Amino acid sequence: MTADAAITAADVRSAALSLPDTTEKLAWGQPTFRVAGKIFASLGDDGTAMGVKCPREDRAELIAAEPEKFFVREGHDDHYAWMRVRLSALEDADELAAILADSWRQVAPRRLVAAHPEPDVPEAGAGEGGPEEER
């Protein structure tokens, strides 16, 4: 992906808000994206990264495989099912949409997930459920 085609904060906002029943709410001075009142994504204050839900047991593997793309903010994300994604490292808008849709599925009510099986909202993983932390 060229620098001219880099994913922007505006792309994140557009992709997140395209997911069913998603709303945007400012929290901690940053845009957060929610479904059923639960945060599934947020934009960092400098617009270069986003935070997304990610099962803690999966994120270490993702970070190890692609450290230029995925990371945690130490002292902040350590105890939550959450990780950060560098927007400049995303391949394209399809990858952005897939990451956001996966995060959305982790917090959306099951009835909503079942009602929206379209391809841009990937199927939920086996690890869904669990407690929801709002940070």
Side-chain angles (χ1 to χ4, degrees), residues 93-130:
D94 289 341
E95 184 178 28
L96 170 65
I99 290 169
L100 286 170
D102 183 59
S103 185
W104 178 89
R105 282 190 172 278
Q106 291 178 60
V107 301
R110 291 182 191 269
R111 63 170 170 68
L112 188 57
V113 173
H116 296 281
E118 58 268 10
D120 58 337
V121 183
E123 288 303 316
E128 88 178 277

Side-chain angles (χ1 to χ4, degrees), residues 65-120:
E66 296 183 84
E68 72 288 347
K69 186 179 296 181
F70 302 113
F71 67 104
V72 293
R73 205 166 121 200
E74 293 198 26
H76 194 271
D77 300 327
D78 303 336
H79 305 291
Y80 299 98
W82 198 257
M83 73 175 178
R84 311 290 167 135
V85 182
R86 289 181 184 89
L87 302 182
S88 62
L90 292 174
E91 293 177 23
D92 55 28
D94 289 341
E95 184 178 28
L96 170 65
I99 290 169
L100 286 170
D102 183 59
S103 185
W104 178 89
R105 282 190 172 278
Q106 291 178 60
V107 301
R110 291 182 191 269
R111 63 170 170 68
L112 188 57
V113 173
H116 296 281
E118 58 268 10
D120 58 337

Side-chain angles (χ1 to χ4, degrees), residues 11-32:
D11 296 326
V12 173
R13 177 174 279 110
S14 178
L17 291 173
S18 74
L19 294 165
D21 291 353
T22 294
T23 59
E24 181 175 350
K25 182 177 179 182
L26 207 58
W28 311 286
Q30 301 171 336
T32 63

